[in-house]
Amino acid sequence: ESDYDDDKDYGYEKAKQDLRARDLARYGIQTVFVDDYSEITEILRDIEFAVKRNNVFISGCADDYASWGRDKAEGLARKISEFLVKDDFKITSGFGIGIGSSVINGALVEIYRSKYRHIDEYLRLCPFPQGIKDVAERKNVFTQYRKDMISDTGVAIFLFGNKKDPTDSSRIIEAPGCWEEFLIARINKNVIIPIGSTGFMAKRILDEVKANMDDYKYLEKYINVLETEVDVDKLAKTVTVIVKEQRMAE
């Protein structure tokens, strides 16, 4: 008799829950029932990750486009940004030299074409502070700025990543800021997508990913494209596919 009563009580409570859920659904509210308060924290964490994966940080700078050439390099940055906005992702850009303007242009093309000019919903610009002469202070400010910039994103794309040597402008070096952004994005648990075929710091990041593929299983079937492909359309489409897959991932 006790088992029968338990089953009856459970059935009654389940019916009440279903009724509440259907009632709330009429107002567009999706209901999730929990058995313990500790589940709420986990659910909120999952929601936070899901929301962040709609926000894509594009890291890149280039004083030298190497074999890509300026037009093709800018075309890649522009097309990636355009494709992502078309699929309702929001772009965050630090306005990296040689790349940032193209990222912005690509986003704006799609925003004006199909998003009814709602720029703030699809594009977030974060130009770095200027005029900080003290080297140590500038480094500290830039590090904190990068952390803040990346904190609201769930995806980080890396391309090129080079600059003139501050001590010798005739030399091109890998941009340490891009590496720092990679480390911050990794700590932030972002989806990491390095386009290694663009060379420089993006190639170094891709090498790091390849050496630790267990942490980046979502890139396994795309790693060869990211490492070797130089066709702008193929790369832009591949990056968009990866980002869309991870938006749907648990």
Side-chain angles (χ1 to χ4, degrees):
E1 181 180 350
S2 176
D3 290 343
Y4 173 77
D5 289 342
D6 287 345
D7 289 343
K8 185 169 64 176
D9 289 344
Y10 173 79
Y12 177 67
E13 288 300 321
K14 183 69 168 60
K16 285 202 303 182
Q17 286 184 351
D18 290 343
L19 184 62
R20 292 192 198 106
R22 287 197 298 272
D23 190 41
L24 290 169
R26 291 163 48 204
Y27 300 94
I29 301 172
Q30 182 177 348
T31 308
V32 178
F33 293 100
V34 298
D35 296 319
D36 189 272
Y37 279 113
S38 63
E39 294 179 42
I40 296 175
T41 300
E42 186 175 343
I43 291 171
L44 291 175
R45 188 181 299 114
D46 289 342
I47 292 173
E48 180 185 16
F49 275 116
V51 170
K52 284 184 175 181
R53 287 190 177 184
N54 286 305
N55 301 330
V56 180
F57 172 61
I58 300 181
S59 171
C61 56
D63 272 314
D64 184 353
Y65 301 103
S67 61
W68 277 76
R70 179 170 182 168
D71 289 345
K72 187 176 179 181
E74 290 181 344
L76 175 63
R78 184 170 59 249
K79 189 147 289 190
I80 289 173
S81 184
E82 181 180 340
F83 283 8
L84 290 174
V85 169
K86 185 176 182 179
D87 279 303
D88 291 324
F89 291 96
K90 183 174 183 176
I91 305 297
T92 293
S93 172
F95 220 120
I97 186 169
I99 296 296
S101 294
S102 298
V103 169
I104 294 165
N105 290 341
L108 289 176
V109 164
E110 189 59 37
I111 290 169
Y112 279 104
R113 178 164 55 205
S114 66
K115 305 302 181 184
Y116 309 104
R117 301 191 178 187
H118 293 174
I119 295 175
D120 290 346
E121 294 180 20
Y122 297 97
L123 183 61
R124 178 181 172 222
L125 303 181
C126 304
F128 278 77
Q130 302 298 311
I132 305 175
K133 296 181 180 180
D134 183 81
V135 175
E137 181 185 359
R138 183 169 63 248
K139 185 179 186 305
N140 290 335
V141 170
F142 278 21
T143 295
Q144 187 57 53
Y145 193 80
R146 289 187 171 99
K147 289 179 179 178
D148 292 342
M149 181 170 54
I150 295 170
S151 65
D152 290 331
T153 68
V155 179
I157 299 169
F158 299 87
L159 61 164
F160 295 96
N162 68 69
K163 59 182 288 188
K164 291 179 180 178
D165 187 338
T167 64
D168 181 0
S169 61
S170 67
R171 293 182 62 243
I172 295 294
I173 61 172
E174 293 178 345
C178 287
W179 181 256
E180 184 176 43
E181 287 164 2
F182 162 65
L183 297 179
I184 293 170
R186 188 170 63 180
I187 292 171
N188 198 48
K189 300 187 185 302
N190 282 36
V191 173
I192 306 292
I193 307 175
I195 306 179
S197 61
T198 60
F200 305 101
M201 191 59 79
K203 175 65 166 61
R204 180 179 169 190
I205 294 170
L206 183 133
D207 289 342
E208 175 71 13
V209 167
K210 284 184 67 178
N212 298 277
M213 282 304 297
D214 285 346
D215 297 329
Y216 305 95
K217 289 186 179 296
Y218 57 89
L219 290 181
E220 282 182 335
K221 60 183 178 180
Y222 303 109
I223 198 72
N224 186 60
V225 174
L226 295 173
E227 184 174 24
T228 64
E229 185 60 66
V230 293
D231 182 274
V232 168
D233 285 334
K234 288 181 181 179
L235 276 171
K237 288 176 182 176
T238 298
V239 168
T240 305
V241 167
I242 297 170
V243 178
K244 288 170 68 176
E245 285 180 351
Q246 293 309 301
R247 175 162 63 182
M248 302 302 295
E250 294 183 0

mmCIF file of all heavy atoms in Angstrom, residues 131-159:
data_model
loop_
_atom_site.group_PDB
_atom_site.id
_atom_site.type_symbol
_atom_site.label_atom_id
_atom_site.label_comp_id
_atom_site.label_asym_id
_atom_site.label_seq_id
_atom_site.Cartn_x
_atom_site.Cartn_y
_atom_site.Cartn_z
ATOM 1 N N GLY A 131 48.609 56.223 -25.657
ATOM 2 C CA GLY A 131 49.303 57.290 -24.927
ATOM 3 C C GLY A 131 49.868 56.899 -23.585
ATOM 4 O O GLY A 131 50.250 57.774 -22.800
ATOM 5 N N ILE A 132 49.936 55.585 -23.269
ATOM 6 C CA ILE A 132 50.537 55.149 -22.003
ATOM 7 C C ILE A 132 52.032 54.942 -22.242
ATOM 8 O O ILE A 132 52.442 53.956 -22.854
ATOM 9 C CB ILE A 132 49.875 53.854 -21.491
ATOM 10 C CG1 ILE A 132 48.361 54.030 -21.375
ATOM 11 C CG2 ILE A 132 50.476 53.451 -20.144
ATOM 12 C CD1 ILE A 132 47.618 52.762 -20.991
ATOM 13 N N LYS A 133 52.836 55.851 -21.771
ATOM 14 C CA LYS A 133 54.268 55.830 -22.086
ATOM 15 C C LYS A 133 55.060 54.840 -21.238
ATOM 16 O O LYS A 133 56.028 54.248 -21.712
ATOM 17 C CB LYS A 133 54.846 57.239 -21.946
ATOM 18 C CG LYS A 133 54.247 58.233 -22.954
ATOM 19 C CD LYS A 133 54.869 59.605 -22.804
ATOM 20 C CE LYS A 133 54.272 60.579 -23.821
ATOM 21 N NZ LYS A 133 54.854 61.932 -23.704
ATOM 22 N N ASP A 134 54.690 54.694 -19.989
ATOM 23 C CA ASP A 134 55.419 53.774 -19.126
ATOM 24 C C ASP A 134 55.180 52.332 -19.577
ATOM 25 O O ASP A 134 54.032 51.878 -19.653
ATOM 26 C CB ASP A 134 54.964 53.941 -17.679
ATOM 27 C CG ASP A 134 55.742 53.063 -16.725
ATOM 28 O OD1 ASP A 134 56.852 53.434 -16.349
ATOM 29 O OD2 ASP A 134 55.228 51.970 -16.390
ATOM 30 N N VAL A 135 56.251 51.604 -19.872
ATOM 31 C CA VAL A 135 56.143 50.261 -20.446
ATOM 32 C C VAL A 135 55.429 49.300 -19.508
ATOM 33 O O VAL A 135 54.532 48.550 -19.923
ATOM 34 C CB VAL A 135 57.549 49.712 -20.796
ATOM 35 C CG1 VAL A 135 57.445 48.267 -21.277
ATOM 36 C CG2 VAL A 135 58.209 50.581 -21.862
ATOM 37 N N ALA A 136 55.809 49.299 -18.244
ATOM 38 C CA ALA A 136 55.209 48.376 -17.279
ATOM 39 C C ALA A 136 53.728 48.679 -17.084
ATOM 40 O O ALA A 136 52.893 47.763 -17.034
ATOM 41 C CB ALA A 136 55.945 48.453 -15.947
ATOM 42 N N GLU A 137 53.414 49.955 -16.977
ATOM 43 C CA GLU A 137 52.011 50.338 -16.796
ATOM 44 C C GLU A 137 51.184 49.951 -18.018
ATOM 45 O O GLU A 137 50.064 49.433 -17.891
ATOM 46 C CB GLU A 137 51.900 51.853 -16.562
ATOM 47 C CG GLU A 137 50.462 52.310 -16.352
ATOM 48 C CD GLU A 137 50.342 53.820 -16.246
ATOM 49 O OE1 GLU A 137 51.383 54.503 -16.315
ATOM 50 O OE2 GLU A 137 49.202 54.318 -16.128
ATOM 51 N N ARG A 138 51.745 50.192 -19.212
ATOM 52 C CA ARG A 138 51.017 49.852 -20.433
ATOM 53 C C ARG A 138 50.749 48.349 -20.509
ATOM 54 O O ARG A 138 49.646 47.920 -20.868
ATOM 55 C CB ARG A 138 51.810 50.304 -21.656
ATOM 56 C CG ARG A 138 51.059 50.042 -22.970
ATOM 57 C CD ARG A 138 51.718 50.724 -24.161
ATOM 58 N NE ARG A 138 53.053 50.228 -24.432
ATOM 59 C CZ ARG A 138 54.154 50.940 -24.277
ATOM 60 N NH1 ARG A 138 54.103 52.198 -23.840
ATOM 61 N NH2 ARG A 138 55.338 50.408 -24.570
ATOM 62 N N LYS A 139 51.757 47.552 -20.146
ATOM 63 C CA LYS A 139 51.583 46.099 -20.179
ATOM 64 C C LYS A 139 50.484 45.664 -19.226
ATOM 65 O O LYS A 139 49.624 44.835 -19.571
ATOM 66 C CB LYS A 139 52.894 45.401 -19.812
ATOM 67 C CG LYS A 139 52.828 43.879 -19.941
ATOM 68 C CD LYS A 139 54.153 43.243 -19.594
ATOM 69 C CE LYS A 139 54.122 41.733 -19.857
ATOM 70 N NZ LYS A 139 53.010 41.068 -19.148
ATOM 71 N N ASN A 140 50.461 46.207 -18.026
ATOM 72 C CA ASN A 140 49.440 45.848 -17.038
ATOM 73 C C ASN A 140 48.048 46.260 -17.503
ATOM 74 O O ASN A 140 47.080 45.497 -17.370
ATOM 75 C CB ASN A 140 49.749 46.491 -15.683
ATOM 76 C CG ASN A 140 50.960 45.872 -15.009
ATOM 77 O OD1 ASN A 140 51.303 44.712 -15.272
ATOM 78 N ND2 ASN A 140 51.621 46.624 -14.142
ATOM 79 N N VAL A 141 47.962 47.479 -18.043
ATOM 80 C CA VAL A 141 46.666 47.969 -18.524
ATOM 81 C C VAL A 141 46.173 47.113 -19.688
ATOM 82 O O VAL A 141 44.997 46.723 -19.730
ATOM 83 C CB VAL A 141 46.768 49.450 -18.948
ATOM 84 C CG1 VAL A 141 45.484 49.884 -19.678
ATOM 85 C CG2 VAL A 141 46.989 50.339 -17.730
ATOM 86 N N PHE A 142 47.058 46.795 -20.619
ATOM 87 C CA PHE A 142 46.670 45.995 -21.782
ATOM 88 C C PHE A 142 46.227 44.587 -21.373
ATOM 89 O O PHE A 142 45.284 44.043 -21.940
ATOM 90 C CB PHE A 142 47.822 45.916 -22.780
ATOM 91 C CG PHE A 142 47.936 47.119 -23.679
ATOM 92 C CD1 PHE A 142 47.360 48.334 -23.327
ATOM 93 C CD2 PHE A 142 48.625 47.043 -24.874
ATOM 94 C CE1 PHE A 142 47.470 49.458 -24.146
ATOM 95 C CE2 PHE A 142 48.739 48.148 -25.720
ATOM 96 C CZ PHE A 142 48.157 49.358 -25.346
ATOM 97 N N THR A 143 46.930 44.003 -20.395
ATOM 98 C CA THR A 143 46.545 42.666 -19.931
ATOM 99 C C THR A 143 45.145 42.678 -19.336
ATOM 100 O O THR A 143 44.309 41.814 -19.656
ATOM 101 C CB THR A 143 47.549 42.139 -18.890
ATOM 102 O OG1 THR A 143 48.820 41.957 -19.511
ATOM 103 C CG2 THR A 143 47.089 40.807 -18.313
ATOM 104 N N GLN A 144 44.861 43.643 -18.476
ATOM 105 C CA GLN A 144 43.535 43.725 -17.871
ATOM 106 C C GLN A 144 42.475 44.028 -18.929
ATOM 107 O O GLN A 144 41.362 43.488 -18.885
ATOM 108 C CB GLN A 144 43.511 44.812 -16.787
ATOM 109 C CG GLN A 144 42.208 44.848 -15.997
ATOM 110 C CD GLN A 144 41.892 43.522 -15.334
ATOM 111 O OE1 GLN A 144 42.719 42.971 -14.610
ATOM 112 N NE2 GLN A 144 40.710 42.988 -15.585
ATOM 113 N N TYR A 145 42.845 44.857 -19.886
ATOM 114 C CA TYR A 145 41.915 45.202 -20.966
ATOM 115 C C TYR A 145 41.569 43.952 -21.785
ATOM 116 O O TYR A 145 40.405 43.733 -22.136
ATOM 117 C CB TYR A 145 42.559 46.254 -21.860
ATOM 118 C CG TYR A 145 41.610 46.920 -22.830
ATOM 119 C CD1 TYR A 145 40.770 47.951 -22.412
ATOM 120 C CD2 TYR A 145 41.567 46.518 -24.164
ATOM 121 C CE1 TYR A 145 39.912 48.571 -23.300
ATOM 122 C CE2 TYR A 145 40.699 47.132 -25.058
ATOM 123 C CZ TYR A 145 39.881 48.162 -24.623
ATOM 124 O OH TYR A 145 39.012 48.776 -25.513
ATOM 125 N N ARG A 146 42.569 43.136 -22.066
ATOM 126 C CA ARG A 146 42.326 41.895 -22.807
ATOM 127 C C ARG A 146 41.419 40.949 -22.022
ATOM 128 O O ARG A 146 40.523 40.313 -22.585
ATOM 129 C CB ARG A 146 43.655 41.199 -23.138
ATOM 130 C CG ARG A 146 44.480 41.904 -24.202
ATOM 131 C CD ARG A 146 45.696 41.075 -24.612
ATOM 132 N NE ARG A 146 46.341 41.676 -25.778
ATOM 133 C CZ ARG A 146 47.420 42.451 -25.739
ATOM 134 N NH1 ARG A 146 48.001 42.706 -24.552
ATOM 135 N NH2 ARG A 146 47.926 42.963 -26.845
ATOM 136 N N LYS A 147 41.659 40.837 -20.737
ATOM 137 C CA LYS A 147 40.813 39.975 -19.906
ATOM 138 C C LYS A 147 39.364 40.438 -19.948
ATOM 139 O O LYS A 147 38.439 39.616 -20.088
ATOM 140 C CB LYS A 147 41.326 39.963 -18.459
ATOM 141 C CG LYS A 147 42.634 39.222 -18.272
ATOM 142 C CD LYS A 147 43.096 39.283 -16.820
ATOM 143 C CE LYS A 147 44.398 38.532 -16.618
ATOM 144 N NZ LYS A 147 44.882 38.625 -15.209
ATOM 145 N N ASP A 148 39.149 41.734 -19.819
ATOM 146 C CA ASP A 148 37.788 42.269 -19.853
ATOM 147 C C ASP A 148 37.143 42.059 -21.221
ATOM 148 O O ASP A 148 35.961 41.719 -21.326
ATOM 149 C CB ASP A 148 37.800 43.768 -19.515
ATOM 150 C CG ASP A 148 38.192 44.040 -18.066
ATOM 151 O OD1 ASP A 148 38.121 43.096 -17.248
ATOM 152 O OD2 ASP A 148 38.574 45.183 -17.760
ATOM 153 N N MET A 149 37.924 42.266 -22.273
ATOM 154 C CA MET A 149 37.413 42.160 -23.633
ATOM 155 C C MET A 149 36.979 40.732 -23.956
ATOM 156 O O MET A 149 35.954 40.508 -24.605
ATOM 157 C CB MET A 149 38.499 42.623 -24.611
ATOM 158 C CG MET A 149 38.112 42.601 -26.069
ATOM 159 S SD MET A 149 39.346 43.445 -27.091
ATOM 160 C CE MET A 149 40.868 42.599 -26.641
ATOM 161 N N ILE A 150 37.738 39.750 -23.485
ATOM 162 C CA ILE A 150 37.482 38.354 -23.813
ATOM 163 C C ILE A 150 36.466 37.722 -22.873
ATOM 164 O O ILE A 150 35.815 36.732 -23.221
ATOM 165 C CB ILE A 150 38.812 37.576 -23.801
ATOM 166 C CG1 ILE A 150 39.729 38.091 -24.923
ATOM 167 C CG2 ILE A 150 38.617 36.077 -23.963
ATOM 168 C CD1 ILE A 150 41.150 37.561 -24.865
ATOM 169 N N SER A 151 36.286 38.293 -21.695
ATOM 170 C CA SER A 151 35.469 37.660 -20.659
ATOM 171 C C SER A 151 34.034 37.399 -21.087
ATOM 172 O O SER A 151 33.408 36.439 -20.615
ATOM 173 C CB SER A 151 35.479 38.518 -19.380
ATOM 174 O OG SER A 151 34.849 39.773 -19.624
ATOM 175 N N ASP A 152 33.477 38.216 -21.962
ATOM 176 C CA ASP A 152 32.089 38.054 -22.390
ATOM 177 C C ASP A 152 31.957 37.240 -23.673
ATOM 178 O O ASP A 152 30.869 37.154 -24.241
ATOM 179 C CB ASP A 152 31.432 39.421 -22.593
ATOM 180 C CG ASP A 152 31.210 40.161 -21.282
ATOM 181 O OD1 ASP A 152 31.037 39.483 -20.251
ATOM 182 O OD2 ASP A 152 31.227 41.397 -21.281
ATOM 183 N N THR A 153 33.047 36.661 -24.147
ATOM 184 C CA THR A 153 33.003 35.882 -25.383
ATOM 185 C C THR A 153 33.176 34.394 -25.083
ATOM 186 O O THR A 153 33.694 34.022 -24.029
ATOM 187 C CB THR A 153 34.103 36.326 -26.365
ATOM 188 O OG1 THR A 153 35.390 35.986 -25.844
ATOM 189 C CG2 THR A 153 34.034 37.830 -26.607
ATOM 190 N N GLY A 154 32.741 33.557 -26.029
ATOM 191 C CA GLY A 154 32.877 32.119 -25.855
ATOM 192 C C GLY A 154 33.665 31.461 -26.966
ATOM 193 O O GLY A 154 33.916 30.256 -26.929
ATOM 194 N N VAL A 155 34.054 32.251 -27.965
ATOM 195 C CA VAL A 155 34.825 31.752 -29.101
ATOM 196 C C VAL A 155 35.950 32.740 -29.385
ATOM 197 O O VAL A 155 35.741 33.959 -29.284
ATOM 198 C CB VAL A 155 33.946 31.603 -30.361
ATOM 199 C CG1 VAL A 155 34.772 31.113 -31.549
ATOM 200 C CG2 VAL A 155 32.772 30.668 -30.103
ATOM 201 N N ALA A 156 37.126 32.238 -29.724
ATOM 202 C CA ALA A 156 38.256 33.107 -30.078
ATOM 203 C C ALA A 156 38.903 32.591 -31.351
ATOM 204 O O ALA A 156 39.336 31.441 -31.409
ATOM 205 C CB ALA A 156 39.274 33.164 -28.945
ATOM 206 N N ILE A 157 38.948 33.446 -32.374
ATOM 207 C CA ILE A 157 39.549 33.112 -33.663
ATOM 208 C C ILE A 157 40.859 33.883 -33.795
ATOM 209 O O ILE A 157 40.905 35.083 -33.497
ATOM 210 C CB ILE A 157 38.598 33.491 -34.815
ATOM 211 C CG1 ILE A 157 37.284 32.704 -34.687
ATOM 212 C CG2 ILE A 157 39.243 33.238 -36.175
ATOM 213 C CD1 ILE A 157 36.192 33.203 -35.615
ATOM 214 N N PHE A 158 41.909 33.207 -34.260
ATOM 215 C CA PHE A 158 43.223 33.828 -34.372
ATOM 216 C C PHE A 158 43.715 33.752 -35.809
ATOM 217 O O PHE A 158 43.697 32.687 -36.420
ATOM 218 C CB PHE A 158 44.222 33.140 -33.441
ATOM 219 C CG PHE A 158 43.847 33.227 -31.992
ATOM 220 C CD1 PHE A 158 43.006 32.277 -31.422
ATOM 221 C CD2 PHE A 158 44.297 34.272 -31.209
ATOM 222 C CE1 PHE A 158 42.634 32.364 -30.082
ATOM 223 C CE2 PHE A 158 43.933 34.377 -29.872
ATOM 224 C CZ PHE A 158 43.096 33.419 -29.310
ATOM 225 N N LEU A 159 44.163 34.907 -36.338
ATOM 226 C CA LEU A 159 44.755 34.926 -37.670
ATOM 227 C C LEU A 159 45.927 35.906 -37.714
ATOM 228 O O LEU A 159 45.933 36.914 -37.012
ATOM 229 C CB LEU A 159 43.719 35.257 -38.741
ATOM 230 C CG LEU A 159 42.980 36.581 -38.726
ATOM 231 C CD1 LEU A 159 42.328 36.812 -40.106
ATOM 232 C CD2 LEU A 159 41.847 36.580 -37.690
#
